[in-house]
Amino acid sequence: MNNIGKAVRIEGKIISREDVYVDGQVEGTIEVMESKVTIGPNGRVKAGIHAREVVIIGAVQGDVVASEKVDIRKDAQLEGNISTARISIEDGAVFKGSIDIRKPEPVKPAAAPAPVAQPPVAPAQAFILNSPPAAPAPPISVSPGPAPKR
Amino acid sequence: MPQRDGGVPAAPGRSQPKVAAPSIRHSRGLEQFFLNIRDVVGLSILDMAGLNQENVNVLSALGHKLYASDLVRSIDDTFGYDLAEQNNASRLEYFLQANFNYLPDTFDGVILWDALQFMTPAVLAATVDRLHMIMRPGGYLLAYFSAQERLSEVPSHTFRFVDDKSILVTERGLRAPGQVFNNRNLEKTFARFDSVKFFLTRENLREVIVRR
């Protein structure tokens, strides 16, 4: 779990493979495609959120896209459009925007990863949380040619 | 079933009547509304009751896209509880931008519940104009009005779908109506629309279905 405390303010793009808990301020984008984002009670987020699951307890201004579920708690304030497969809403939440319930896509067997060209991201704008350290490049091996016939 | 009222808190300084327990009742207006949206999918429906699980479930089960906001809360947030404040032109413009800032012909259905009856003539006229613009021709609008024309305060409610014919009604206190609403001035209010149909209920509600 990556925790952004209530004294923290981030402007830019947050990318994580693990769950993210935001109790501070974020302005930009949050991408946690395979995990869960929780906007805590002190969280103030002006950002588009893409995640597997999104839980909102604090305030969000921006569009929310969740592949599985959006959970809006009673004190949440959300202004933006939601696109998700399932949604849970507690009474008392304040909301303005649209809700698009999409049927979940059928699970496909994992395919071999294809190389994807990643656009360069300015280091001052992107926050990659808990990513594994980059592996050193493998040494280049040169195989010897066939042994000469005698 | 909802655990508590998620609507607007009672206005400060207002009389607190004995609030009736939540009740489920049949709504012919709602039945008519659903008749027009249930045989197609992918419609855009604007629900101005605020966000609640029941309404999201019913509308999304029909395959529609739901837009939601709480119009009564927005009236209070924008104008306060004094009806005279609704004559403030800049606040009216803010109110329209906050609630009806959509492209023309966006919605196939709009559910206003009882919010319109708390608008003064100026706010109501501007709101209905904006609704006419953002609704598609042939779309339907559902609104409820108190049929007790002589009361200085009428009950305000929250509404939730139970199914496509009935609603859970929860009273959330009394408030002053913006004006008197009878069949004649409702027809006048929606004169630009294609048709207006009324249903008078045993609970002294006038349910109105308007076709754009």
Side-chain angles (χ1 to χ4, degrees):
Chain A
M1 167 83 78
N2 296 291
N3 196 343
I4 297 170
K6 60 183 176 184
V8 178
R9 174 186 165 87
I10 292 177
E11 287 183 24
K13 188 171 188 176
I14 294 174
I15 303 169
S16 174
R17 292 179 185 170
E18 295 184 342
D19 292 354
V20 174
Y21 185 89
V22 180
D23 212 25
Q25 295 180 52
V26 174
E27 202 165 316
T29 309
I30 302 174
E31 287 184 11
V32 189
M33 307 301 275
E34 295 159 10
S35 299
K36 181 165 90 172
V37 174
T38 302
I39 310 302
N42 300 299
R44 297 288 177 269
V45 171
K46 282 187 182 178
I49 303 174
H50 289 244
R52 178 176 53 78
E53 185 177 340
V54 179
V55 180
I56 303 173
I57 306 167
V60 174
Q61 200 174 355
D63 294 346
V64 175
V65 179
S67 56
E68 286 188 8
K69 188 182 177 189
V70 174
D71 189 354
I72 302 175
R73 302 288 173 82
K74 63 176 181 177
D75 294 321
Q77 295 180 41
L78 172 58
E79 187 174 342
N81 303 314
I82 299 172
S83 179
T84 183
R86 289 184 294 140
I87 188 164
S88 164
I89 303 155
E90 284 186 4
D91 285 354
V94 178
F95 173 74
K96 182 174 183 294
S98 70
I99 299 172
D100 199 2
I101 306 292
R102 293 173 291 105
K103 289 181 181 173
E105 293 176 6
V107 179
K108 294 176 183 172
V116 177
Q118 293 288 342
V121 180
Q125 293 180 335
F127 299 83
I128 301 176
L129 303 176
N130 270 13
S131 295
I140 299 171
S141 61
V142 180
S143 58
K149 289 182 182 176
R150 292 188 179 175
Chain B
M1 284 292 149
Q3 298 300 305
R4 64 185 181 82
D5 179 10
V8 179
R14 285 186 178 274
S15 56
Q16 290 295 321
K18 288 178 184 173
V19 175
S23 61
I24 293 175
R25 68 173 189 79
H26 179 254
S27 167
R28 287 193 64 196
L30 188 70
E31 193 176 354
Q32 287 287 310
F33 184 84
F34 271 100
L35 270 177
N36 296 292
I37 66 165
R38 71 180 174 202
D39 292 332
V40 275
V41 295
L43 301 182
S44 294
I45 309 295
L46 177 60
D47 177 4
M48 307 215 81
L51 187 66
N52 67 72
Q53 186 79 58
E54 291 81 2
N55 293 15
V56 171
N57 288 351
V58 169
L59 288 169
S60 60
L62 291 172
H64 301 320
K65 184 172 182 178
L66 170 67
Y67 294 73
S69 66
D70 189 333
L71 196 56
V72 173
R73 178 189 286 269
S74 182
I75 291 171
D76 291 341
D77 288 350
T78 309
F79 302 109
Y81 301 105
D82 184 358
L83 288 175
E85 290 298 319
Q86 293 193 20
N87 295 320
N88 183 317
S90 59
R91 287 188 186 176
L92 172 58
E93 189 53 38
Y94 172 84
F95 173 76
L96 296 173
Q97 283 293 319
N99 293 287
F100 303 105
N101 189 20
Y102 298 102
L103 292 172
D105 301 343
T106 298
F107 296 108
D108 304 282
V110 177
I111 310 171
L112 291 156
W113 305 108
D114 63 356
L116 293 185
Q117 68 182 342
F118 304 114
M119 296 178 179
T120 57
V123 176
L124 180 70
T127 298
V128 170
D129 269 358
R130 201 59 76 94
L131 287 167
H132 188 272
M133 185 191 79
I134 64 176
M135 286 180 69
R136 290 197 182 112
Y140 283 85
L141 179 155
L142 174 64
Y144 295 165
F145 298 86
S146 172
Q148 296 171 297
E149 296 169 17
R150 295 181 186 279
L151 294 180
S152 59
E153 289 186 318
V154 296
S156 166
H157 300 95
T158 58
F159 300 91
R160 291 158 193 260
F161 299 138
V162 175
D163 54 35
D164 60 359
K165 296 184 183 66
S166 48
I167 46 177
L168 177 75
V169 182
T170 307
E171 197 174 312
R172 55 178 175 183
L174 294 176
R175 35 188 316 148
Q179 54 188 302
V180 173
F181 292 96
N182 53 36
N183 286 2
R184 171 136 179 76
N185 62 21
L186 283 173
E187 279 173 349
K188 203 172 161 187
T189 299
F190 295 108
R192 291 181 64 195
F193 286 74
D194 195 43
S195 66
V196 185
K197 196 171 177 179
F198 303 95
F199 303 96
L200 192 60
T201 74
R202 283 179 298 183
E203 295 85 2
N204 280 316
L205 269 184
R206 190 177 273 113
E207 299 184 355
V208 183
I209 282 276
V210 184
R211 187 173 191 273
R212 161 74 166 84

